[in-house]
Amino acid sequence: MSSPAEIEAFILGFEERVAPVEKAVKEAWWKLATTGTEEARAELVRAGMEYNRLFEDGYEKVRGWYEERDALESPLLRRQVEVLYRTFAGRQGDEETLDRIEELEARANAIYGNHRGVVRDEAVGENEIREILRLSDDGSLRREAWEASKTVGREVEETVRELARLRNRLAREAGYPDHFHRALDLQEIDAGELERIMSELESATAAPFRELKDDLDAKLEARFGAKAVMPWHLSDPFFQEPPEDAALDVDRHFRDRDLRELTRRTYDSLGLDVRGVMAKSDLYGRDGKNQHAFCLSVGREYPYDVRVLANIRPDAYWMNTMLHEFGHAVYDRHVNPRLPYFLRTIAHTCTTEAIALMMGSLSEEPGWLRTFAGVSDLDGDEERLAARRRADGLVFTRWALVVFNFERELYADPDRDDLNELWWELVGRLQLVNQPPGRDEPDWAAKIHVAVAPVYYHNYVLGHLISAQLRNHLEKHVTHGPFYENEVAGRYLIESFFGPGARENWRDTVLRATESR
Ligand SMILES: [Zn+2]
C-alpha cells in the first residue's frame, strides 16, 4: 500500500490533467446542444476520447488503494479513493470499444436533436407534438402526432442496440454479467436492493393505478368518442404524465408570464441566487437546438460555471421544467468549493433529482401559485390539484417501471429480436396502455434515455422518494411552514445537502440531512 502522501500526490497530479479535459467535454456538450452542428459533434467526440485516454494508466494502482481503503485514516482521502476508483472503473476497456461508444452516443444525440416528425405534411418538433397531445380534440391528428413522435425510433434503433452490445462487452470484461449490473454498481447502488424497491413500488401502486386508469379511460372514451383508449389519446408520447384535467387549466396561470422571472423569485425566496446561472443559460427554442432541458456544470473551478438549457413556452410544463432545472443548478452552485477536486460535485444523480423534483412540483402547488404566480382565483382547484399531484406520482412510477424493466432485459440480451414486443408487453402490463393492433416498431428506441442515459431512470424514482423525505423534514423541523417561503430552508440545503458534495456516500447525505437515523 502506498503512503497517504503518495496517494495524495497522485490525486493532485491527476486532477491537473483531468480538469481541463473535463471542462472541454462539457463545453463541447453545450456547443452541440445549442447549435447541433457537425463541427460541434466532432469536437464532443474528440474531447470525449481524450477524456477516456486519461484513464488508461493507473487503474491497477487506484484499484489497489480502493481495496485497502479501510486502512486510510483520513475519511476525506478514503472517499477520494472511492470516487476515483469508480471514475476509473467506468472507463476501463479497449480503446476501440471506448471510442466507438463515444462516437455512437454522439451520433444518437445528434439524431434525437435533429429529428423532426411529420404531422399533416409538416416537420414538427417535440414541443408541437406535446401541444397536440395535450390539447387537440381531433383524434386523427392526435394519432398522427403520436406516430410522428416515434419515427425517431427506427432511425436510432441499430445505434442503440450496438451501444448496448458494446457496453455489455466492457461490463463482462470487468466481471459483471452485463452493463445493467455494472452501471448500478458504479453508481453505488445495490442491484438487489433496487430490485426490491422497484417491485415493492410495483405492487403498492398496482391497485390505485388501475383505479386511476379506469377513471381516466372513462373520461377519455367520452371525450374522444372512442371504444378503446389508445396511446394517442393520452397527453404525452409515453404516458409519463396523466392527461390534462379539462376542468383544471393550469396553463392559464402562465400564459402571459415571464417564466424566468417566476423562477428567479422562487429561488430568491429561498435565499438562493440564480441570476448568474440565468445569464449563462440558453432558455428559448430555435432550429438546431436540443429540444429538451438540462442543467450543465462546466468545470469545477470556483465561481462555478453552471448553465441551463430550456425551450420555454408560457405553460405549466415549462414552469415545472424551469423550477426543476434550476434546482439542479443551485445544487451545483453550492457544493463547497474547498472540497478536493474529485469530491467537488453532487453526491449522486438521485440526490440532485430529488432537489429538482421538489422544486419542479411547486408549479402545481396552490400555495406557490398564490404567493409566486399571484393566482387569486384558485377556488375549487385545490382538490383537483391535490388529485393531480397524486396522479402524477402514480403515472410516473408506472412509466419508470417500464423503463427499468425494459433496460434490464435489453442488457440481458441486446440481440433478442422481440424487443418491440417486450416493450409493448411492459407498457400493457405496467401502464395499462393498449398496443395499437399490428404495431411492430422500435418504440423503445424513441426514448432518448435508453440510448444516451442508460440505466438512469431509477434515479428519478429514488429522487421522488428522497424529495418527499426531505421536504417532510424541512417543513416539520426546519421551516415549520412552506419551505419555499423561507430563506432558512435555502441555508439548510446549502449546509446539509449541497455543501457536502461527494464527501460521503449519497445515502449518508440523505440520512443526515433528513435526520432519519
Ligand atoms: Zn432532472
Side-chain angles (χ1 to χ4, degrees):
M1 179 87 173
S2 319
S3 72
E6 279 172 89
I7 301 179
E8 267 165 14
F10 173 87
I11 292 177
L12 279 178
F14 194 59
E15 169 188 336
E16 264 175 43
R17 295 169 54 213
V18 167
V21 186
E22 202 166 54
K23 200 169 160 180
V25 170
K26 297 292 184 68
E27 278 290 5
W29 173 257
W30 182 257
K31 196 74 184 275
L32 177 60
T34 50
T35 66
T37 62
E38 181 50 35
E39 188 193 346
R41 197 188 63 84
E43 168 57 14
L44 180 61
V45 172
R46 190 208 58 76
M49 287 177 182
E50 191 186 345
Y51 184 70
N52 286 339
R53 299 278 182 278
L54 292 168
F55 299 90
E56 273 174 357
D57 303 315
Y59 178 55
E60 294 308 318
K61 201 157 56 176
V62 172
R63 188 167 66 182
W65 297 335
Y66 174 74
E67 277 160 6
E68 294 180 31
R69 67 194 181 284
D70 288 345
L72 293 169
E73 240 167 76
S74 154
L76 218 53
L77 187 56
R78 205 182 311 137
R79 187 63 189 155
Q80 287 178 79
V81 166
E82 287 174 4
V83 170
L84 203 60
Y85 164 70
R86 291 200 158 81
T87 315
F88 265 89
R91 284 162 189 82
Q92 296 308 300
D94 62 286
E95 201 176 302
E96 202 189 318
T97 308
L98 290 170
D99 285 356
R100 182 82 183 133
I101 289 177
E102 210 64 48
E103 234 174 80
L104 290 172
E105 286 185 350
R107 182 197 294 172
N109 264 316
I111 295 175
Y112 289 110
N114 297 327
H115 181 86
R116 295 291 181 274
V118 175
V119 177
R120 303 270 146 106
D121 299 324
E122 260 187 65
V124 292
E126 289 180 26
N127 261 333
E128 283 88 3
I129 288 179
R130 194 178 302 115
E131 208 154 277
I132 295 173
L133 291 178
R134 286 182 68 207
L135 305 171
S136 171
D137 289 320
D138 178 343
S140 80
L141 177 67
R142 298 182 68 93
R143 179 171 190 161
E144 262 192 61
W146 182 83
E147 282 170 354
S149 78
K150 304 292 187 214
T151 49
V152 69
R154 270 199 200 184
E155 240 184 276
V156 83
E157 169 184 12
E158 256 325 299
T159 306
V160 181
R161 277 190 201 260
E162 192 182 346
L163 273 167
R165 273 181 227 120
L166 294 173
R167 287 171 184 145
N168 271 354
R169 184 188 299 170
L170 296 181
R172 286 177 187 141
E173 278 167 14
Y176 294 96
D178 58 30
H179 178 72
F180 186 80
H181 290 85
R182 173 179 184 249
L184 289 178
D185 189 41
L186 294 179
Q187 293 173 42
E188 294 192 287
I189 287 179
D190 182 279
E193 191 189 10
L194 183 62
E195 196 71 56
R196 271 194 302 285
I197 294 176
M198 296 307 254
S199 69
E200 270 171 37
L201 278 173
E202 184 178 333
S203 46
T205 53
F209 179 74
R210 181 168 289 279
E211 198 181 312
L212 175 84
K213 182 70 168 46
D214 285 347
D215 193 43
L216 277 178
D217 285 354
K219 285 186 189 142
L220 293 171
E221 277 163 23
R223 176 175 165 200
F224 295 107
K227 278 200 201 70
V229 169
M230 298 310 286
W232 47 87
H233 294 130
L234 299 158
S235 63
D236 65 272
F238 293 100
F239 193 27
Q240 298 181 215
E241 290 169 31
E244 301 293 308
D245 175 346
L248 182 69
D249 176 16
V250 271
D251 282 351
R252 77 193 143 101
H253 306 311
F254 304 108
R255 231 156 252 152
D256 308 306
R257 309 304 297 269
D258 180 353
L259 269 42
R260 288 171 309 177
E261 141 85 3
L262 291 174
T263 303
R264 207 181 300 124
R265 288 223 325 267
T266 306
Y267 283 95
D268 275 350
S269 154
L270 283 160
L272 301 168
D273 187 4
V274 294
R275 284 167 185 76
V277 176
M278 235 170 234
K280 299 211 117 197
S281 293
D282 187 322
L283 299 174
Y284 291 92
R286 60 172 182 278
D287 282 347
K289 182 178 157 178
N290 180 308
Q291 300 183 72
H292 301 108
F294 61 80
C295 171
L296 187 74
S297 192
V298 181
R300 306 194 200 188
E301 291 141 39
Y302 198 76
Y304 299 127
D305 177 354
V306 182
R307 312 168 191 179
V308 168
L309 179 136
N311 289 274
I312 297 180
R313 290 182 171 213
D315 60 29
Y317 174 85
W318 280 103
M319 187 69 252
N320 182 314
T321 303
M322 282 291 281
L323 292 171
H324 180 109
E325 298 307 335
F326 279 84
H328 289 306
V330 290
Y331 193 162
D332 286 343
R333 278 259 292 116
H334 289 99
V335 169
N336 185 347
R338 286 184 297 275
L339 282 168
Y341 184 84
F342 291 100
L343 306 185
R344 212 181 299 148
T345 179
I346 55 169
H348 199 274
T349 310
C350 68
T351 59
T352 189
E353 286 306 339
I355 299 298
L357 291 163
M358 181 169 84
M359 295 307 297
S361 71
L362 293 178
S363 65
E364 292 186 356
E365 181 149 326
W368 182 88
L369 284 166
R370 275 197 206 92
T371 314
F372 291 90
V375 178
S376 54
D377 58 339
L378 264 180
D379 39 355
D381 277 0
E382 273 95 341
E383 262 173 51
R384 284 199 196 91
L385 284 166
R388 163 102 200 162
R389 266 205 304 283
R390 188 169 162 277
D392 273 342
L394 279 172
V395 169
F396 182 78
T397 302
R398 301 301 285 190
W399 154 244
L401 285 166
V402 170
V403 180
F404 177 78
N405 284 288
F406 178 80
E407 284 194 302
R408 191 188 44 213
E409 300 310 315
L410 169 69
Y411 286 103
D413 179 10
D415 291 310
R416 59 189 281 178
D417 51 19
D418 61 346
L419 283 177
N420 301 356
E421 272 164 66
L422 170 70
W423 177 260
W424 277 104
E425 182 196 304
L426 290 167
V427 167
R429 176 165 70 80
L430 295 163
Q431 295 184 288
L432 308 175
V433 171
N434 292 317
Q435 176 175 2
R439 187 168 179 85
D440 182 17
E441 294 288 329
D443 294 331
W444 47 276
K447 186 66 195 166
I448 187 168
H449 289 72
V450 175
V452 297
V455 198
Y456 186 97
Y457 241 76
H458 58 277
N459 286 309
Y460 294 125
V461 176
L462 296 175
H464 274 290
L465 299 174
I466 296 168
S467 146
Q469 190 174 323
L470 180 62
R471 177 156 184 186
N472 180 56
H473 177 77
L474 282 172
E475 300 193 333
K476 248 195 182 134
H477 303 288
V478 182
T479 57
H480 306 284
F483 80 97
Y484 50 88
E485 287 175 12
N486 200 327
E487 282 195 19
V488 176
R491 275 205 297 281
Y492 183 86
L493 288 173
I494 291 175
E495 270 165 38
S496 319
F497 212 84
F498 305 161
R503 183 181 85 184
E504 58 197 355
N505 179 297
W506 63 274
R507 292 165 154 278
D508 293 326
T509 300
V510 172
L511 291 174
R512 197 179 27 70
T514 59
E515 287 169 24
S516 306
R517 59 166 145 217

